[in-house]
Every structure is written in structure tokens, then in C-alpha cells.
Amino acid sequence: MDQKGYRRGSFQSSTSDEDMLEIAGASLDFSMADDDPPLDREMGGFTSYNGGGMNGASKMMDFLEEPLPGVGTYEDFNTIDWVREKSRDRDRHREITSRSKESTWALIHSVSDAFSGWLLMLFIGLLAGSLAGLIDISAHWMTDLKEGVCLAGFWFNHEHCCWKSNTTFTDRDKCPEWMSWSQLIIGHGEGAFAYILNYFMYVIWALLFSLLAVLLVKGFAPYACGSGIPEIKTILSGFIIRGYLGKWTLIIKTITLVLAVSSGLSLGKEGPLVHVACCCGNILCHLFTKYRKNEAKRREVLSAAAAAGVSVAFGAPIGGVLFSLEEVSYYFPLKTLWRSFFAALVAAFTLRSINPFGNSRLVLFYVEFHMPWHLLELVPFILLGIFGGLWGAFFIRSNIAWCRRRKTTKLGKYPVLEVFVVTAITAILAFPNEYTRMSTSELISELFNDCGILDSSKLCEYVNDFNSTKGDDLPDRAAGPGVYTAMWQLALALIMKVFITIFTFGMKVPSGLFIPSMAVGAIAGRLLGVAMEQLAFYHHDWIIFSGWCSQGADCITPGLYAMVGAAACLGGVTRMTVSLVVIMFELTGGLEYIVPLMAAAMTSKWVADAIGREGIYDAHIRLNGYPFLEAKEEFSHKTLAMDVMRPRRNDPPLTVITQDSMTVEDIETIINETTYSGYPVVVSRESQRLVGFVLRRDLIISIENARKKQDGIVSTSVIYFTDHSPPLPPSSPSMLKLRSILDLSPFTVTDQTPMEIVVDIFRKLGLRQCLVTHNGKLLGIITKKDVLKHIAQLANQDPDSILFN
């Protein structure tokens, strides 16, 4: 049972709750300066101690009245004890309620305590909304900087630069105030040399932005890379990764997210914005004692912060709440639902006040489709769902295979070189094609667009017959040469996006997956939509069109197909359903198209689940070995608790502490020689009758504090966990009472309990460990990691992969 990889001679050895995580060889800088520091490093500041000597020489203190700093807190890479945290919060609330009847000041304190949660949500919404607005504006400006600069003010992006120009509507992107790099350097923008110069500047800016991003991440905040959602799911399930939601991570992620998006890499900012919002929530928790000191309460705040993150990422506050509920949260009580709603509302309102898109709308891709969809169109919508499911399953398998290769080969040692190569390939392939050169958000917006009379895009170059035009509704028309050119370019863009995204997601820069997945689906949907539109135009007498699509009518809306395709591909990759549909109709304003979106999202989930059960975030959780117990999966095997518990038959006996017969030296020896995060306390080694469970960290802090603060505590002092001290000779040294750190109600099961029930208990109560008894006697222990290893073994996976790497 003993595990290697830990420091032996020191109490400060980092242990996890499952005997425990080997993090000695981790490559990241796990600096704890960003987050709550481990309190056992501050022993010098302790002023209280719970213990009493045999002769009454030291004052006995109660832990509830004089809490010992550090007791009840957790080491890095530990799982929190949800039951204990909730119990502590109930005790705190009971005490405040009882005191509120004693004085006016206590009543005010009680009211402020009740109101503090809503105040915290307000702060999170304001900060998350402000940062999202800053990121949107900066990313838009820096994306345009790759192509040129505004003479009226270099801080204007292309669109803002041309607002005050007198150019006509069709030439609105060619205003004299905006100059491409070739116009600025050589004086004109036409010709081969000008094209090559613009091409060169585009690639140089892309490389500069991406290199700056990866160097900042590598140098200052290794946790700022990636999407962040797999880690946030793990943290919300009760795992502690110090620094992951700290101030340095927030600062570096905000800066590098702008750089990564602006570089033109095939990634989005939506996933990382959830990480940014959770960083805001974690930092602001320190303003309020009840959230700072209680890990379970803090996770309720982080669930609400995740909702605010999606709210500002997509302009979808309701979708954000549902996303937090469906995708990331582990524990989501009704109170958290209301607070999530409030945080998402404030965040969306703040973003709307900043107005980063300049269109006075909160939604990212506002659409206005003039024609309703027809029932027969469900067939192509379901086809898009099948495509989305196939793409999702293909992407997950390919991306996980590449990320595993990155982790297990020398490739992982050169993150800067990897980012440089991928950015260079992306920029070189992207520039010649106008649909890959523009930012992915602009591309999706153009694909969702329903062609009007004034649209000058290639996608809208139809052969116009103005005699048949009725108001704003344009009939289905024959495609012009521009549409056919756009189709070829979009087909090439689709191939590029499909493959380049596999290598981009997971690099050491902030990278979201929502926008690239939506782009793949939107391109496929637009291609299918145009094909259906032309089929209806040339063959309106076919039986499938004859009932509802007459000649000269506006039957097919290609933009709607793009929207449905985007939802299908995003659903295939993430396996979201309810929240995805709500996000999509909030994102586009297309409320009447809910049924096509639902059909595509459900189909894509079914198809993707048939090929592989895991979504991209769950797959990355398993790849990284995070101790995450998935609540959605069922355990159907017929094993018993005795099959999983430790010690096994040939293992050494379980390490236990007796309630009143072990000395300080005995317990220090156990702590030094083992790496477990806690120890069962029994009446005696012979009886093995269970008394309770004590945490390693609490023991270390209490003993070290007693040695410093209490006279007479030496190595031969007896430690007891009972109410009354055991009878000892008068000449013996002072004894140390540690009953207050003992958990007198550890969760126990019998050895014949089915593992199906044990797994359910771990999921629903969020346990760290569970003790196994037989006829009242202690037999063994089951930890969360034992459960995860057992599930992996039954699924024919490597059980040793359940280890933080």
C-alpha cells in the first residue's frame, strides 16, 4: 500500500486523498502563490492549541471556540470532503442565526451574511462582463492588424475605421482611412508584389502573436493553456488544483487569449472565457469569509461563475445557466441555479453596456430568416446531425491520439516550437482563401447570413430577377459564378478546418473548441443549403418539392442550414443537448427554428455516442488522469466492497491509530513512513473496533503546534482521542488530547455491500473515502481513487492512468 515518489522525512510531504497522487515528476510549476497557501507553512503565527496536559499545566482549548489555523483545510491535489464542508457550513449558519437574536449588531451581521452571496454574484458578473468586453475589442483590433492599419487612429479596427467614411455601401470595406500593409509600405495595393507583401505581413503578425502567447503561458502561468473546462469540471467535483484559478492565471489567460485568437489559429475564446470567469469567482471569494473558508461553498460560486462565462462568451445568459448545470457542475442546488441566473444576467448586461460588437446587440451572430422551414427539410437537418456526430467522434479520437502522443514523446518538451509550426502552417494555408483568412467568428456570421438585395458577399452572387422580388423576400435564384467560387473555397476551408483543429486544440496556448466546431458545421450546412436551394430551383416539380415550393418562391434558406450544421457539430464534439439548443437560439435570435436545432443536436449525440461514449472534455479528463467520478454513467457490475477495498489479501495490514495508547513518536513514525491522507482510529489493535477517522494534515498541524505552544509535550507524550484521559503514572509527560480533530462519524459500509451502491454513495455524497467493516470490526478502506481504478479495470482500461499527471 505504500507508494513511492514522496519525501519521507518531512511532515510537509504533499499527499492526496487516495494514497495518493504522485506529482513529484510533474512538469508544470505548481506554485501556490496564486491561490490559498497551505496553512501549515505559517505555523509560527499559531496562537491557539487544543490539548491538555495530565497535570492541568496547560489550558484546555476547544477547537470550535479557538480554531487552529490550517485544521480542516486541504493540501494541493486533494479531494475535498463534501459532507464535512456542508456540515461545517450548517454549524456556522446555526451559530449566526442563534446570535442574531442577542443584539442588533449580530442581526445586521446575519443579514449581511445572507446577502453576501448575491453581492458576490454581482461582482463576478461585473468583472467577467468587463473582461469579456476587453477581450472582444482587443481581439477584433489585433485580428485586423494582420491585414492593415487605420490612419485615423491605429487603435481602430477595420470596421470602426470606416464608420465615418463617405464611401458607398458596396465599397464600405474600402475606405481611404484604412490602408493595407502593401499600401502603407509601397504605396499601392494592386499587383503580385503587393499580394506577396500582404501575405508576408499576415504570416509575420500571426507568428508574433502566437509566440508571444506561448512564451507568456510557459513563463508565467502554465495553467493558462488550453480550454480549462476539463479542469474546471474536475475542480467542481471537489478536486483541488491550487493556482489554477489564481490571479496570475487570470491575468496571463486574459492577455494570451487575445493573442491566440488574433493569431488566426483554429481556436475560439468561448471555452477559455469560462476559465476566466471562474478565476474571477475564485479571487472574489476571498472577500467573503464564508466562501474563503469553505471549499464546498466556493464550488457553488464557481458553478455560477461558469454560467457567467458562457453568458458573456455567446451573449446567452439562459444558455450559460443550462451549460453550467448540464456540462460542468457536479453539485448544483436550487440556490445555485438562482444565483447563476443572476450572475449571468449581470455579466450579459455589463457586456451589452460595453457594446464590443458595435451593433447594439448582445448576440454574436444575429440572423433574420424571412421564411419558415418545411417539415420535409427535417431530412437534410438530420443528415447534418449525422455529419456532426461523425465529425465529433472523429475529432475526439484524433485529438486524443495526438495529445497522448504529445504527452508520451519528445514533442511535449517543445511547446514553443509546436505552436510556431502549427501557426506557420495555418497562416500560410489560410491567407489565399478569403474564408480562412477572416476570423472564424466573421466566417460563421457570413455563413449564417440570409442573402438580401444589398449583400455584396460572393455567397450572395445569384442571378437576380428583380421582377419577381416581393419586398425583402428574394425568391430562390440560380447561382451565379460568385456562388460557385465561394462553394469551392468553402469546401477547401472545410478540409483545412477539419484537420488543423485536431492539432491546435491542446497546445500550450488558450484554446476553445466551440467556435472551430461551429465553423466546421456551418460550412457543411451552407454547402448543403445551397445544394438544396439549387435543387429546388431547377427541379421544383419533383415530388419532394411540388407540394410546398413553387417556381419563384423563397423556399430554402441556406443560412438556416449553416446554423443547424453548427449546432450539430458542436453537439457531436461536446455531447451537449439542452444547453446547446438554447445557446444557439440565443446566439442567433432564431427562436422559431428550435425544432431543427433539437433534431440536429439529438441526432449528432446519438451518432457520436454510438461510436464513443465520451465528449471531448470527459476524454481530456481521462487522458490527464484527473480523479473525476462521472455522475452520468451507470455502474452495472456485480462486484462487492470487499473486492475493491484495501488492504488486499497479500498486502500488509491496514495502518491504524489507537484511541489512547500511542505516543507522539509513534504517530510521527506512521506519518513519515506512509503517504496516506488519513488514518482510521480504533479502540485497540486487537479489537479493531472503529472509533473515527483523522486526517494526516490535521495531525501534522496539531502535533507541531502542540510542541511549540504547549509545555511538556515530548516524543513520549501519549496522544488520546477520548473524552477523558487514560490513567497513567504521575511521572509520565503531559498528554495530548486530539479529540476535536477526530471525525466521529466516518462513512462505513459492510464488506458485502454491492459496489453499485458504493459508487452511488461516492457520487452523491462526494466522499473522499469510505471505511469497510465486518460485524462491527474494521476491515479496510475504499478511497475515491480505488473506485475510479476499479471502474477503469472493468472497462478494460489501464487502472494506473487514474493519477494526476
Side-chain angles (χ1 to χ4, degrees), residues 454-515:
L454 296 174
D455 278 310
S456 56
S457 165
K458 274 187 191 175
L459 282 169
C460 297
E461 280 190 27
Y462 289 91
V463 178
N464 285 315
D465 178 11
F466 289 106
N467 294 326
S468 60
T469 302
K470 298 172 184 175
D472 288 334
D473 294 342
L474 289 171
D476 286 347
R477 300 156 287 164
V483 174
Y484 288 115
T485 306
M487 292 301 101
W488 279 110
Q489 288 179 324
L490 284 174
L492 293 171
L494 177 63
I495 295 166
M496 178 190 159
K497 291 277 182 192
V498 161
F499 289 102
I500 206 74
T501 309
I502 291 167
F503 302 102
T504 306
F505 187 69
M507 291 197 307
K508 297 301 178 191
V509 291
S511 52
L513 197 57
F514 282 45
I515 289 293

Side-chain angles (χ1 to χ4, degrees), residues 288-455:
F288 302 91
T289 309
K290 77 172 178 180
Y291 295 108
R292 184 174 69 246
K293 293 187 174 180
N294 192 295
E295 292 290 349
K297 294 294 288 180
R298 190 183 300 195
R299 273 150 183 76
E300 292 179 23
V301 172
L302 295 180
S303 291
V310 174
S311 172
V312 292
F314 289 113
I318 301 170
V321 175
L322 291 172
F323 173 82
S324 180
L325 173 62
E326 181 182 2
E327 190 61 28
V328 297
S329 293
Y330 197 81
Y331 173 67
F332 203 85
L334 197 58
K335 182 169 61 178
T336 304
L337 179 73
W338 299 331
R339 288 182 176 169
S340 300
F341 186 79
F342 180 63
L345 164 71
V346 174
F349 175 77
T350 306
L351 187 66
R352 171 65 183 78
S353 304
I354 295 170
N355 192 19
F357 308 117
N359 59 3
S360 299
R361 287 197 177 99
L362 185 63
V363 294
L364 195 55
F365 312 117
Y366 184 75
V367 293
E368 271 184 295
F369 300 139
H370 300 107
M371 290 300 295
W373 59 280
H374 192 269
L375 190 63
L376 285 173
E377 288 184 281
L378 274 178
V379 176
F381 294 153
I382 288 170
L383 286 176
L384 284 172
I386 293 169
F387 170 78
L390 293 172
W391 143 253
F394 166 74
F395 174 81
I396 291 167
R397 289 200 174 185
S398 307
N399 180 252
I400 292 298
W402 178 252
C403 289
R404 184 174 286 114
R405 185 176 180 81
R406 182 189 289 127
K407 290 171 81 75
T408 55
T409 63
K410 290 184 178 179
L411 179 66
K413 296 178 181 177
Y414 305 103
V416 178
L417 181 64
E418 184 190 9
V419 170
F420 180 87
V421 170
V422 172
T423 307
I425 292 169
T426 305
I428 289 165
L429 292 177
F431 188 83
N433 186 339
E434 66 176 282
Y435 293 110
T436 48
R437 189 192 317 159
M438 65 174 66
S439 75
T440 316
S441 297
E442 283 180 50
L443 169 63
I444 295 170
S445 187
E446 187 152 326
L447 292 168
F448 283 6
N449 184 39
D450 186 21
C451 290
I453 298 170
L454 296 174
D455 278 310

Side-chain angles (χ1 to χ4, degrees), residues 326 381-382 385-386 389 567-568 571-572 575-578 580-581 595-609:
E326 181 182 2
F381 294 153
I382 288 170
I386 293 169
R575 309 299 160 85
M576 290 155 51
T577 49
V578 181
L580 170 64
V581 172
V595 173
L597 290 171
M598 289 174 73
M602 206 66 246
T603 307
S604 72
K605 179 174 169 58
W606 283 337
V607 171
D609 279 349

